[in-house]
Amino acid sequence: MVEGSPEHEVAKLREQLDDWNYQYYVLDAPRVPDAEYDRCMRQLQALEQAHPQLVTPDSPSQRVGGAPLGEFRQVQHELPMLSLDNAFSSQEMESFYRRLEERLGGSAEPLEFACEPKLDGIAVSLLYREGRLEQGATRGDGRTGEDITLNVRTIASIPLRLRGSGYPPRLEVRGEIYMPRAGFDQLNADARARDEKTFVNPRNAAAGSLRQLDPRVTAQRPLQMCCYSVGLFEGGQLPPRHSDVLDCLHTWGLRINSESRVVRGIEACDAYYEELAARRDSLPYDIDGVVFKVNDLALQARLGFVSRAPRWAIARKFPAQEEMTRLLAVDFQVGRTGVITPVARLEPVFVGGVTVSNATLHNADEVARLDVRIGDTVIVRRAGDVIPKVVSVVHEKRPDDTRPIVFPEACPVCGSAVEREPGEAALRCLGGLVCQAQQKAALKHFVSRRALDIDGLGDKLVEQLVDNGLVHTVADIYTLPREQWLTLERMGDKSVDKLLAAIEESKATTLPRFIYALGIREVGEATAASLASHFGSWEALSSASEEALLAVPDVGPVVADHLRQFFDSADSMAVVRALREAGVHWPDLEREPAAALPLSGQTWVVTGKLDSLDRNAAKDYLRSLGAKVAGSVSANTDTVVAGPGAGSKLDRATELGVTVIDESAFLMILAEYGVRL
């Protein structure tokens, strides 16, 4: 390369800009003013514009983002991105440490751990080939993620080209992309100034920014990345300790967390946890716990993995975030199956990163258990839970004018009679399809992604269809004339044509999806799949006796009774006939032998709160895979799925040494066995 030539000048400018980026974004030690950086960047851009043949993908000038994508491509992780088991107390951490010592046969020296904050962001994988960034992908379900290469290229703390030497020919770096609080606050301030919708918390903002189809939007968002491990490491030799691996990544230009520490023994782990918990609110980013990893890679290899999670690492979560507020009123919502749910209307309170004004009270039994009244001061919990909940009442703050919560004697929507069946906690509207609330909920369920998946038919359109009396059952959407769709708000010719095409496309479905879409009580996706596999055809299923239904592995007396009630209902079967006459169709299936089910002979327990699906759905999935689902933990239990709030069952599992996995690991297992959520 001739000194003074365009090639030489471009190379020199790139090296300078890469060095300044590293100093600023990785070391947090800027060396030049922004104006000097901008001057150098403009000089590079001018040279590249004059000599376009010199532009390369790893040039600092190429971070601004390219043309928008139509959709994200799926990426298969060559090595699964595993989740971690969780600990929620010092006792659980001690149990974790004791299990490590037992598996390693004891040690004269306390075990050494690499410790780091558990950033509340989005897990990603970066693949470098010969030091150049080749691919970025989301974690997804651990095996399949989305290709976000164009978006991660816009993040300044992610090097497009590794620094120095010694990295392997193929290197996969794993880490967390997050949005610092200051950047989040500024992003929302700018949105408010433009009278646009704001983000609820930094994680939500990071996720939304990372999944933009237009990378130019991502480029404008203040995202950062911290690396926490490697995946693929081909053609090179890993250093002996995890902390050494992180040091290598840092040397190669990647950001690692400055709060990371190496400690020895359980007491030191506890001390690090307590120190970080005390400083949690003063950190420049959100964290929800601390990750502890056995530092010696050879010991990690000896410890191995269990149920898709490493034995040598654990995430100790911070306590659930709770706040006090006042219960102003209680409304009653009617769901798809007629269940009437009390919803607390609260004096707005900021908890768990979100302003909460509504919370579930579940049912009359829960209201009685809490002894909650309108006007009470209550404690609201939101710690990763999708739906905030009232967990207790501050009785000493109860004023004299509180009022009892009175459940309706008739449906609050349609006025039909209500009943509470023996043994059930839920109050239920008996109006069926006469009830507009149930019509709306049934339609929303039928068109949802996991059912018939009619893209574009969202909640607001469903509300209009029912409110305007245009549809009464799910079959009506297939026969509604085009001119009626055009009468709906914000539905022009192009929108209607696109929606009608999606409706037409939904007619070709599968038997499991069709069964699930019908919204039969207690029949989730896994039960629907199990019924379809067992009977093979709709005709065989709908004509099956209650005894025949009970022969399906995950169908008990309650589910069998709900199925027979549906099949014996003239109205329900008329809807099915109308759907089939409208062209909804599916291929029949061949029954899968029960012996082939992957979890046959295993006993599982599900406890705590799950975010992606409710516990009944989780149990349905397990039963469809052949597992027995028990209500309590014993020595015969194979695996416990534990979400936040898991109590005595988790304690019992820990005491017995039963394998415990979190929701992420559970979803990975479902995905591995082909369960589609």
Side-chain angles (χ1 to χ4, degrees):
M1 191 180 299
V2 180
E3 186 170 350
S5 68
E7 292 87 345
H8 181 265
E9 291 302 308
V10 164
K12 188 167 65 173
L13 287 168
R14 287 176 182 170
E15 183 178 0
Q16 181 65 83
L17 288 166
D18 281 341
D19 188 58
W20 286 342
N21 270 332
Y22 178 71
Q23 297 290 333
Y24 189 96
Y25 292 105
V26 178
L27 301 183
D28 289 326
R31 285 169 46 185
V32 295
D34 289 347
E36 178 64 13
Y37 180 94
D38 293 340
R39 184 198 62 77
C40 192
M41 176 64 79
R42 287 194 298 271
Q43 189 176 348
L44 173 63
Q45 290 170 334
L47 277 168
E48 289 181 340
Q49 186 173 2
H51 305 279
Q53 73 277 11
L54 300 180
V55 177
T56 60
D58 60 351
S59 172
S61 66
Q62 300 304 298
R63 288 191 182 276
V64 294
L69 298 171
E71 61 180 2
F72 290 112
R73 181 178 64 89
Q74 286 197 329
V75 171
Q76 299 295 317
H77 299 298
E78 294 185 46
L79 292 177
M81 293 185 69
L82 304 179
S83 59
L84 297 177
D85 285 337
N86 292 324
F88 296 92
S89 66
S90 58
Q91 292 77 16
E92 291 178 17
M93 271 299 298
E94 289 170 5
S95 296
F96 165 70
Y97 189 86
R98 189 167 57 251
R99 290 196 300 272
L100 293 179
E101 287 190 316
E102 289 172 355
R103 287 189 173 275
L104 294 172
S107 173
E109 294 289 331
L111 288 172
E112 187 178 78
F113 290 89
C115 321
E116 63 191 53
K118 187 176 184 297
L119 292 168
D120 196 12
I122 312 301
V124 296
S125 161
L126 305 177
L127 184 62
Y128 287 88
R129 188 186 296 271
E130 302 297 341
R132 297 177 187 272
L133 179 62
E134 180 174 273
Q135 177 181 278
T138 61
R139 178 185 179 277
D141 63 8
R143 289 186 175 275
T144 304
E146 291 181 323
D147 187 341
I148 53 169
T149 305
L150 295 180
N151 289 353
V152 299
R153 288 174 58 83
T154 70
I155 300 173
S157 54
I158 296 177
L160 302 179
R161 180 176 53 190
L162 297 179
R163 295 170 60 86
S165 61
Y167 44 80
R170 290 188 77 211
L171 170 67
E172 182 195 10
V173 179
R174 292 174 175 182
E176 200 88 359
I177 289 178
Y178 63 99
M179 186 174 290
R181 289 172 180 165
F184 169 77
D185 291 340
Q186 186 61 53
L187 182 66
N188 271 351
D190 294 342
R192 282 190 289 270
R194 296 189 299 267
D195 198 26
E196 295 177 353
K197 184 179 179 181
T198 58
F199 289 97
V200 295
N201 55 47
R203 187 186 190 282
N204 173 270
S209 301
L210 201 57
R211 296 200 73 258
Q212 292 288 327
L213 291 173
D214 187 347
R216 292 169 296 188
V217 176
T218 308
Q220 298 169 5
R221 302 287 172 80
L223 297 174
Q224 293 273 12
M225 177 177 172
C226 267
C227 304
Y228 56 67
S229 70
V230 298
L232 293 172
F233 199 93
E234 291 185 358
Q237 180 63 46
L238 277 168
R241 304 191 310 164
H242 176 78
S243 56
D244 296 333
V245 173
L246 295 183
D247 289 342
C248 285
L249 295 180
H250 194 50
T251 302
W252 295 333
L254 291 146
R255 187 186 186 95
I256 61 174
N257 198 295
S258 60
E259 299 290 340
S260 299
R261 299 285 186 276
V262 174
V263 304
R264 280 193 176 274
I266 187 64
E267 292 81 9
C269 289
D270 286 341
Y272 177 83
Y273 173 86
E274 295 297 340
E275 177 204 347
L276 209 57
R279 294 193 294 111
R280 178 185 184 186
D281 292 337
S282 64
L283 294 175
Y285 41 74
D286 283 354
I287 62 174
D288 58 3
V290 175
V291 176
F292 298 93
K293 301 174 183 174
V294 171
N295 200 27
D296 188 314
L297 298 189
L299 294 184
Q300 287 187 11
R302 284 177 57 190
L303 290 163
F305 302 82
V306 58
S307 296
R308 313 302 299 170
R311 287 195 179 100
W312 41 264
I314 199 164
R316 184 173 175 188
K317 305 296 282 292
F318 289 129
Q321 291 179 299
E322 300 176 343
E323 286 290 348
M324 285 196 308
T325 188
R326 199 160 64 92
L327 175 58
L328 303 177
V330 173
D331 294 339
F332 294 91
Q333 294 182 345
V334 183
R336 173 172 55 85
T337 61
V339 171
I340 299 172
T341 302
V343 178
R345 305 304 182 193
L346 307 168
E347 196 170 85
V349 61
F350 193 76
V351 55
V354 173
T355 299
V356 171
S357 55
N358 304 316
T360 181
L361 286 167
H362 297 294
N363 51 51
D365 287 352
E366 181 69 359
V367 169
R369 186 189 71 80
L370 291 170
D371 184 25
V372 59
R373 298 167 63 94
I374 296 171
D376 270 336
T377 295
V378 297
I379 294 177
V380 180
R381 175 182 295 159
R382 188 190 184 278
D385 293 346
V386 174
I387 303 174
K389 57 185 177 181
V390 174
V391 295
S392 62
V393 176
V394 185
H395 288 102
E396 57 266 33
K397 290 182 174 288
R398 173 170 285 175
D400 295 333
D401 60 350
T402 59
R403 293 176 286 119
I405 297 170
V406 180
F407 279 71
E409 296 181 357
C411 175
V413 175
C414 69
S416 297
V418 298
E419 73 169 8
R420 181 173 174 178
E421 296 180 5
E424 283 197 2
L427 193 68
R428 196 180 300 274
C429 165
L430 301 180
L433 292 181
V434 172
C435 180
Q436 283 197 339
Q438 292 185 60
Q439 291 177 24
K440 291 175 182 178
L443 279 166
K444 291 173 184 177
H445 174 76
F446 185 84
V447 305
S448 65
R449 182 174 62 86
R450 296 172 181 175
L452 268 286
D453 192 18
I454 302 180
D455 187 32
L457 189 47
D459 290 356
K460 290 184 178 179
L461 274 181
V462 168
E463 300 273 346
Q464 289 187 67
L465 290 171
V466 176
D467 290 342
N468 296 341
L470 297 177
V471 301
H472 301 282
T473 76
V474 296
D476 294 339
I477 62 175
Y478 289 97
T479 57
L480 190 67
R482 185 175 187 277
E483 54 269 22
Q484 295 281 17
W485 290 105
L486 287 167
T487 65
L488 302 177
E489 293 178 12
R490 299 183 179 181
M491 291 298 286
D493 288 327
K494 289 184 178 179
S495 298
V496 169
D497 289 342
K498 187 176 180 180
L499 178 57
L500 290 176
I503 292 173
E504 184 65 28
E505 185 179 350
S506 75
K507 292 179 181 179
T509 186
T510 65
L511 181 55
R513 276 179 171 260
F514 182 75
I515 297 169
Y516 172 66
L518 293 174
I520 303 168
R521 283 177 63 186
E522 306 290 342
V523 177
E525 290 176 85
T527 301
S530 187
L531 289 166
S533 176
H534 185 86
F535 290 101
S537 70
W538 173 259
E539 288 72 21
L541 170 61
S542 59
S543 61
S545 66
E546 193 162 332
E547 291 74 18
L549 292 169
L550 287 169
V552 180
D554 57 343
V555 173
V558 173
V559 175
D561 181 59
H562 291 327
L563 286 163
R564 277 293 2 135
Q565 286 184 38
F566 183 92
F567 299 143
D568 292 339
S569 165
D571 289 340
S572 297
M573 297 306 284
V575 171
V576 173
R577 283 196 301 275
L579 286 167
R580 301 188 79 170
E581 289 169 1
V584 178
H585 62 281
W586 54 85
D588 289 342
L589 303 176
E590 292 185 10
R591 179 179 177 182
E592 182 180 13
L597 296 176
L599 300 183
S600 293
Q602 296 187 25
T603 300
W604 287 58
V605 172
V606 181
T607 183
K609 174 70 177 179
L610 303 181
D611 290 332
S612 301
L613 64 169
D614 62 31
R615 287 206 300 267
N616 287 332
K619 293 174 183 178
D620 284 343
Y621 288 130
L622 287 168
R623 292 187 185 107
S624 74
L625 294 171
K628 175 185 176 183
V629 181
S632 60
V633 178
S634 70
N636 295 323
T637 304
D638 292 283
T639 305
V640 172
V641 180
S648 59
K649 293 177 184 177
L650 178 59
D651 293 339
R652 180 64 173 160
T654 303
E655 178 185 330
L656 294 173
V658 172
T659 297
V660 178
I661 62 174
D662 64 7
E663 183 176 1
S664 298
F666 177 57
L667 295 177
M668 288 177 62
I669 291 171
L670 294 182
E672 181 180 359
Y673 292 130
V675 175
R676 181 178 178 185
L677 302 183

